[in-house]
Amino acid sequence: MKMFSVSHKTAFVVDHCPYMAESSRQQVECDVLTKSRGQGMIPLAPVSKSLWTCAVECSMEYCRILYDVYPLKKLINYIVSDSEFHILNSWRQEDQSTHELMSALAAVGPPNPQEDPECCSVLHGLVAAVESLCKITEYQHEARTTLMDTADRVANRGRIICLTNAKSDTHVRMLEDCVQETILEQNKMAAGSDRLMPIQQCELVLVHIFPQGEDTLVSDRPKKEVSSLLTSQVHSVRAGRHLATKLNILVQQHFDLASTTITNIPMKEEQHANTSANYDVELLHHRDAHLEFFKSGDLHMAGSTSRDSGLKETVTLKWCTPRTNSVELHYCTGAYRISPTDVNSRPSSCLTNFLLNGRSVLLEQPRKSGSKVISHMLSSHGGEIFLHVLNSTRSTLEDPPSISEGCGGRVTDYRITDFGEFMRENRLTPVPESPDTEASGKPPAERAKAQLERYTRYWPMIISQTTIFNMQAVVPLANLIVKESLSEEDLLTCQKTVYNLVDMERKNDPLPISTVGSRGKGPKRDEQYRIMWNELETLVKTHVAGSERHQRVLDCIIACRSKPPEEEERKKRGRKREDKEDKAEKNINKDSEDKSWQESERLKGALERGKEEQGESEVIKDSPDSPEPLNKKPRLEEIQLPEKAKGPVSLLTMWTNRITVANSRKHQEFAGRISSVNNKAELYQHLKDENGCVIMYCI
Amino acid sequence: MLFEHMATNYRLEFTSLVAFSSLWELLVPFTRDYNTLQEALSNLEDYDKTCLEAALHGVSNVVQQEWGHACPTQVIYQAMILIDLDVLLYVLYTAIPHQAVNEYIKLNYVTNCVPDLEIVGFIEIGDISSPPVMSRHLVLPIAVNKEVDDVGPGTTEEPEEETSANQQAGKVPNFCVLLHGSLKVEGMVALVQLGPEWYGMLYSQADSKKKSNLMMSLFEPGPEPLPWLGKVSQLGPISDAAENPYGEDDSKSPFPLQPKIKRSYAQNVTVWIKASGLQTDVQKILRNARKLPEKTQTFYKVVTRESAGMDTLLFMFSRLKMVENMEVESIHSIMDVN
C-alpha cells in the first residue's frame, strides 16, 4: 500500500489580480455598533467585502478547521497570484499555522486596482503550485530514508485548490491544460532530483467566485479525469456566505470529516443570570467517530438532519450535564480532535472553554428503539478537545469473577500501601528529546524498565513474608540500595543503617516478625535477628553486581552480622565444648574467611569507637564462651556466593555463576521452555487440563 | 461434544449457534448457557444445501449487532461438524476468543520473537484520562509454583505456571492481586509494552461494589498511541528529572503534554465570515476608544490583541468608509470625554 494520500499536501492558489478587488456585494451592517451613541453622529454606512476578502476569509477558515483536526502531517502551501506568484509559507510543519498565514497575508495587502490587468493572472500561482507539489515534505523525506528498499511505497500526490474569478468555461479549460502541461514538465525535472518527486496524482479544485446578484459565467462541473495524473472539478459559487459554506463542505470531503451537533447545552443568559436557555453547537471531526452509527444503521435515527439541500449532514447528540468531577476510566474505542464550525460564537466558546477548563461532558444518543444510550464524551487533553467514542454495545465481559475469587485472592496481608508507594516512585514523566539523551544510550522508557527491574529484584508481596520492609530502621538502606549507582554519601548512609541494626540487636530491641503460622510467641529474639539479617543480605545481594559500592554495603552487612550467628550456635550446642578445642578447630576452618573477618573487625572497630562502654560490656557479658566452629553450619548456607565455594574456583566459573544467578533472578523461565522436549513444547496444554487456568480473557 | 469441551474449559466464553444452508438462521444468540446450545443443536433439522458465503455474512451481522464494530479485530472460530452421512449439514459456531492475547503471548514464549508483557511504569488515571483502546482483556491470576514464589515475583512478567490445586492457590500470594489492589487504591494504571511500539495499560475495574478486576486495554500499535502522553519511548522514570515533576506534595503533573501550537478555539482567532464576528470585534475597540484618554492602556491592549486580525483583514475592505467613520467616532469619543 502506498503511503501519503492526496490530502497530505494541499496547495491553495488565491487570485490577487485587480478584478478580485471588486465588491462581493454582500453587505455588512455597521450601524448596529453605534446605537448607544449620542446625537449628531454620522451614521455608519454598511460595508461590503471584496471578492479577495471573501476568498481569503474562507480559505483561512478551511485551514483553521484542518489544523484543528489534523495538527500534523496534513500540510498547506499558500500561494497568492497576480503579476507574479507569492509563496506565503513552505511545507515545513512549523510553517503550518493560521497565525503564520494571516501575518503573511497582511504583508501581501489587498489587490491593487491600478495594476495592469494584462500582466496579472492566476496562472503564475498554478504553475508555482505544481512546482511546489513536486517538492518533498519532511514526512516524505523521513519515510523515504527509513524505508530504503521499499521507498517506492512513498507516493507523491496532492491537491490544488484555486480560488479565482474565471472569465468563461473556455478560460477554465485553459487553466486545466496549463496545470496538466506544467505537471508533465515538472515531473521530468523532478525525476533527476533528490529533493523533488514526480507528481503521481493531482486533484485540481477550481472555485469560481462571482459577486452576488450577478449570473455566473462558469458552469459547475463534477470531478473528471483530465489525464491519468490530473483530475479536475469546478465549483461556481457566489461570494459571501455561499463561499463559506462551500469551503466548509470541501474541507469535510477532502479530509473525511463529519459533523456532530451537540444539543441542549444549558447556558446562563447574560441579562438574566437566573435563567438558562439551551443552545446547539456544531463540531467537525474525523468521520470515524460516527462509525458505530454507520455500521449499526442508527445514523438517521441518531438525529441526523440534512441541511443545505442534502449537502451537509450532522449527527445530533444530547448534552448530559456532568454530575461530578470524579476521575474515571471510560471504555473508549476512539478519540478524535474536533473543531467548532463557528469558533467565535458565544455557545461555541462557552462549550470549548468549559471543556478546556478540564471538565468532561457525556453525550447521549437517541436510538431506534427510543431508548437512549451514552455514546460519546467530550474531553480536553492539554488544550486539545477530543470527541471520545464510548463503547455502547454489549460487553463480552459480563459478570466476570472477582479477583478475590481467583488465585491469591484469599491472601489478606498484601503490601498494598508499600506497592502503592513503589508505584508513585515509578511514575513516568516525559523526557524532552534531545541529541544528548540519545548519545547517553538507553531511551527513557528503557531506563524506566531498568529501574523497575532494580526496584523489584527483591520485593516480598505480603507483610508476613518480610521483616526488613516492616522496619523503619531499614528504610534508608532499602531506598538507596536499589539505585543504579551509589555516591560515597549513600554508602555511608547504608553503613550507618547496618550499624544501627547491630545496635538494635545489642539492645535486644523487638523486631516486627510475623507470628502468623507459628505457634506461641513465634521465634526467639536471636532467631528473629537471624531472619532479619538473612533477608537484608538477600536484598543487598541482588544488587552487588551494580557497583563496587553496592558490594561494600554487602561486605559491611556480612561483617557486622558475623558474630550473632556464632552466638546462636554456641547457645544451642556449644556450651559443652572445650574452649581450646573450639579455638583450634576454628583456626583451621576460618582460613578461607580470614579476609572477611579482618574486614569485620575493622568495621566493628569503627563502630565500636562511637559506642558507649555499656555496649562493650554487653558483648562481653553475652559471650562467655568462645565461638563455635563455623563448618558445622555455614551461616550463608542458602545464599552462598559463588566466590565462597570450597576449593579453587576459576575466574570464569565465578563469573558465569554470578551472571547465571543474576539472570535467573531477573526472570522466570518460560513454561514452554522448561517443559520442552528437544526444544519443542506442546502448545495450549491447558486445553486438556480441566482445572486449567487461563491468564487472559479478551473482550 | 464440542460444547461439552467448551463448557468445561471456557465457561466464560460467549457462543452462538447459527445454522445455515441456502439461508442462515440465528438459533441461539450469544450466551454462556451451554445447555441451551446443546438443546438447540439436538433440535436441528435438515436443510437443502450448503452455502457457506451466506452464513459468513450472517455471522458478521450477528457479531456486529451484538458486540459493535470494535469486535471484528478478533478472529471468529469456525468449525464444521458432519452430523449425518446422508445429508450434509454443517453447523457453524462462533465464539469470541477471550484468550486471544493469552495465546499470542504463549506462542511467543516458544517462538521467542516477542518478549512477554513488560511494565514500563505507572501513570495516574487522571493523566491517562480515558484513552481510546482497540481491545480490552480480563487478566486472571494463575498459581505460581512454590519454588518460584520464594524468589519473589518478577514484576515484569505474568506468572504462567499452572497448577491443579486451585483451592490452595487462593492462599498463595499472587502478583496480579497485589498489583490490582495497589492500582485501585492509588487510582493509577500500569503502562505495559507488548512488543515493539505496541503498548497497553493494566488497571483495576470495578464491576459492582464488591467485584473488581484487573483489566488490560491495548492501544493502537504505534510509537505514540496517545497525543497527551507523547512518545512512549520518551517516558522516563521521575528520578531522571532534576526536580520531581509531580511536585513534593503531588500537586502537579507533567501530563498532559501541550501542543506547540494552540488550537483555534484555545486562542483569539479572527473570523469575520459572519457579520456578527466582525461587529463584535469592532464594538470591542469602540467601547474602549470611548473611555480614552483615561483607559489608554486598556485601549492599546485591546487594539493590540485584535490587531493581528485587524491588520490583516481591515485593509481588505474595498471601501475605507468604515475605517474613516471609526476615526471620526474615536475623535468624537475623546471630545465627549473632554
Side-chain angles (χ1 to χ4, degrees), chain A residues 377-562:
Chain A
M377 178 178 78
L378 278 170
S379 187
S380 77
H381 311 284
E384 289 188 285
I385 299 173
F386 290 79
L387 180 61
H388 291 248
V389 183
L390 303 181
N391 182 63
S392 47
T393 45
R394 187 179 167 194
S395 162
T396 41
L397 232 195
E398 271 169 18
D399 202 23
S402 173
I403 193 147
S404 58
E405 293 163 26
C407 306
R410 280 191 276 158
V411 178
T412 50
D413 65 337
Y414 284 111
R415 293 171 58 207
I416 300 278
T417 318
D418 289 351
F419 198 73
E421 185 58 38
F422 161 83
M423 295 193 314
R424 305 197 88 78
E425 282 166 22
N426 284 284
R427 275 179 294 183
L428 297 167
T429 186
V431 180
E433 264 179 282
S434 75
D436 301 350
T437 50
E438 273 171 47
S440 72
K442 280 186 178 177
E446 293 305 318
R447 284 206 299 279
K449 284 188 221 164
Q451 174 169 314
L452 279 176
E453 188 276 320
R454 282 200 313 277
Y455 277 48
T456 54
R457 277 183 205 164
Y458 177 72
W459 213 98
M461 285 191 283
I462 55 173
I463 295 166
S464 53
Q465 227 174 31
T466 178
T467 307
I468 57 170
F469 291 110
N470 299 332
M471 292 169 66
Q472 202 55 38
V474 183
V475 170
L477 185 145
N479 283 347
L480 287 170
I481 201 75
V482 293
K483 281 172 67 174
E484 199 169 7
S485 61
L486 296 178
S487 66
E488 199 57 42
E489 199 183 327
D490 293 341
L491 176 61
L492 267 172
T493 314
C494 289
Q495 288 170 338
K496 267 185 204 156
T497 310
V498 177
Y499 303 153
N500 190 25
L501 292 173
V502 172
D503 203 28
M504 280 172 69
E505 185 171 12
R506 187 171 299 127
K507 287 183 194 156
N508 230 4
D509 286 351
L511 288 183
I513 296 260
S514 162
T515 50
V516 177
S518 58
R519 284 175 200 166
K521 290 177 192 167
K524 286 196 175 127
R525 190 66 42 91
D526 51 0
E527 171 69 5
Q528 287 181 4
Y529 272 92
R530 196 185 62 80
I531 293 170
M532 186 277 288
W533 284 115
N534 279 346
E535 194 185 3
L536 191 64
E537 249 184 63
T538 312
L539 166 70
V540 176
K541 269 189 183 167
T542 59
H543 293 280
V544 283
S547 75
E548 188 254 343
R549 288 196 181 114
H550 285 94
Q551 177 66 49
R552 280 168 67 189
V553 176
L554 179 65
D555 293 345
C556 173
I557 293 170
I558 293 174
C560 288
R561 69 165 298 192
S562 52

Side-chain angles (χ1 to χ4, degrees), chain A residues 28-30 32-33 37 41-42 44 47-50 53 57 61 64 67-68 71 96 102 105 109-110 244 291-292 295 327-335 337-338 340 342-344 381-382 384-385 388 393-403 407-411 414 416 419-420 423-431 433 444-445 447-449 451-452 456 459 461-462 667-671 673 684 686-687 689 691 693-699, chain B residues 5 9-10 12-14 30 32 66-69 74 97-99 102-103 109 112 118-122 124 126 129-133 136-143 148 153 155 157 160 162 167 169-175 177 179-183 186 193 207 211-213 215 227-228 231-240 245-246 250 254-259 261 263-265 269 271-274 278-279 282 312 315-316 318 322 325 329 332:
Chain A
V28 180
E29 195 56 57
C30 286
V32 287
L33 310 174
R37 285 186 315 166
M41 294 285 173
I42 308 155
L44 293 174
V47 292
S48 67
K49 300 168 186 174
S50 64
T53 303
E57 279 182 354
E61 188 62 2
R64 179 188 70 78
Y67 291 146
D68 274 355
Q96 304 294 316
M102 284 288 230
L105 279 168
L291 203 59
E292 198 71 58
K295 296 237 177 176
V327 224
E328 64 179 300
L329 278 178
H330 293 275
Y331 177 21
C332 158
T333 54
R337 287 187 178 84
I338 61 104
D342 191 1
V343 66
N344 284 343
H381 311 284
E384 289 188 285
I385 299 173
H388 291 248
T393 45
R394 187 179 167 194
S395 162
T396 41
L397 232 195
E398 271 169 18
D399 202 23
S402 173
I403 193 147
C407 306
R410 280 191 276 158
V411 178
Y414 284 111
I416 300 278
F419 198 73
M423 295 193 314
R424 305 197 88 78
E425 282 166 22
N426 284 284
R427 275 179 294 183
L428 297 167
T429 186
V431 180
E433 264 179 282
R447 284 206 299 279
K449 284 188 221 164
Q451 174 169 314
L452 279 176
T456 54
W459 213 98
M461 285 191 283
I462 55 173
H667 67 87
Q668 294 170 2
E669 184 56 273
F670 295 147
R673 200 176 287 154
Y684 317 132
H686 61 280
L687 284 175
D689 184 354
N691 291 317
C693 220
V694 177
I695 313 182
M696 268 150 219
Y697 278 82
C698 150
I699 303 173
Chain B
H5 173 79
N9 291 299
Y10 306 108
L12 295 176
E13 302 293 333
F14 288 91
F30 281 99
R32 282 171 177 166
E66 189 84 35
W67 312 107
H69 78 275
Q74 292 144 11
H98 270 163
Q99 71 280 31
N102 183 25
E103 283 171 9
Y109 281 162
N112 216 8
E118 262 188 306
I119 295 182
V120 181
F122 301 89
E124 317 239 353
S129 169
S130 298
V133 300
R136 279 196 314 171
H137 311 268
L138 180 59
V139 181
L140 297 180
I142 51 176
V148 184
T155 9
E157 50 198 76
E160 70 266 21
E162 289 175 16
Q167 281 162 334
K171 291 174 187 165
V172 178
N174 191 294
F175 175 63
V177 186
L179 178 67
H180 168 266
S182 296
L183 289 174
E186 298 288 334
Q193 179 160 18
D207 193 43
K211 283 187 173 181
S212 115
N213 261 296
M215 300 279 291
W228 50 95
K231 276 188 192 159
V232 177
S233 61
Q234 285 304 117
L235 296 180
I238 45 173
S239 53
D240 271 16
Y246 290 89
D250 275 346
F255 301 108
L257 290 188
Q258 301 285 333
I261 299 173
R263 305 281 89 90
S264 70
Y265 44 81
V269 288
V271 181
W272 288 352
I273 286 177
K274 284 191 180 169
L278 170 64
Q279 287 158 352
V282 174
T312 322
F315 65 85
M316 294 173 191
S318 52
M322 187 186 156
N325 279 337
E329 169 93 6
H332 277 294

Side-chain angles (χ1 to χ4, degrees), chain A residues 45-259:
Chain A
V47 292
S48 67
K49 300 168 186 174
S50 64
L51 294 180
W52 161 256
T53 303
C54 292
V56 167
E57 279 182 354
C58 296
S59 57
M60 288 313 293
E61 188 62 2
Y62 182 105
C63 299
R64 179 188 70 78
I65 291 167
L66 174 60
Y67 291 146
D68 274 355
V69 179
Y70 295 99
L72 296 171
K73 294 185 184 175
K74 302 287 178 202
L75 309 172
I76 286 171
N77 192 205
Y78 205 102
I79 299 165
V80 170
S81 181
D82 42 43
S83 58
E84 53 183 352
F85 62 83
H86 311 267
I87 300 179
L88 303 190
N89 69 338
S90 75
W91 293 126
R92 291 192 312 162
Q93 187 64 60
E94 62 256 46
D95 277 4
Q96 304 294 316
S97 82
T98 48
H99 188 78
E100 193 91 7
L101 292 174
M102 284 288 230
S103 311
L105 279 168
V108 169
N112 178 5
Q114 269 75 52
E115 215 169 352
D116 180 8
E118 291 304 309
C119 312
C120 294
S121 169
V122 75
L123 274 175
H124 302 296
L126 285 173
V127 171
V130 173
E131 283 175 22
S132 186
L133 285 180
C134 285
K135 290 180 189 151
I136 62 166
T137 65
E138 56 199 298
Y139 297 107
Q140 287 176 312
H141 177 70
E142 200 191 317
R144 281 214 303 194
T145 354
T146 44
L147 287 175
M148 298 293 281
D149 294 344
T150 51
D152 55 329
R153 279 182 56 216
V154 178
N156 190 35
R157 295 177 272 198
R159 183 180 286 127
I160 301 174
I161 302 176
C162 177
L163 304 179
T164 183
N165 177 273
K167 301 289 161 280
S168 61
D169 287 344
T170 328
H171 185 208
V172 167
R173 257 196 306 282
M174 188 271 286
L175 296 176
E176 285 170 351
D177 291 345
C178 167
V179 171
Q180 169 65 20
E181 271 170 45
T182 318
I183 291 175
L184 294 176
E185 233 168 77
Q186 290 297 320
N187 277 0
K188 273 182 210 156
M189 276 170 62
S193 166
D194 236 18
R195 284 277 151 188
L196 300 177
M197 261 181 97
I199 298 170
Q200 288 150 351
Q201 192 193 339
C202 178
E203 202 178 296
L204 178 63
V205 182
L206 271 167
V207 182
H208 165 67
I209 310 168
F210 61 97
Q212 300 210 343
E214 271 182 29
D215 286 332
T216 178
L217 302 168
V218 176
S219 37
D220 252 11
R221 208 190 53 213
K223 189 147 105 180
K224 72 155 192 190
E225 221 167 70
V226 177
S227 73
S228 59
L229 295 176
L230 180 68
T231 62
S232 163
Q233 52 187 303
V234 182
H235 302 273
S236 188
V237 199
R238 276 191 179 82
R241 66 184 172 86
H242 299 283
L243 181 63
T245 312
K246 173 57 79 178
L247 280 171
N248 186 288
I249 292 166
L250 286 180
V251 75
Q252 291 191 52
Q253 287 173 354
H254 293 168
F255 295 95
D256 292 330
L257 306 186
S259 155

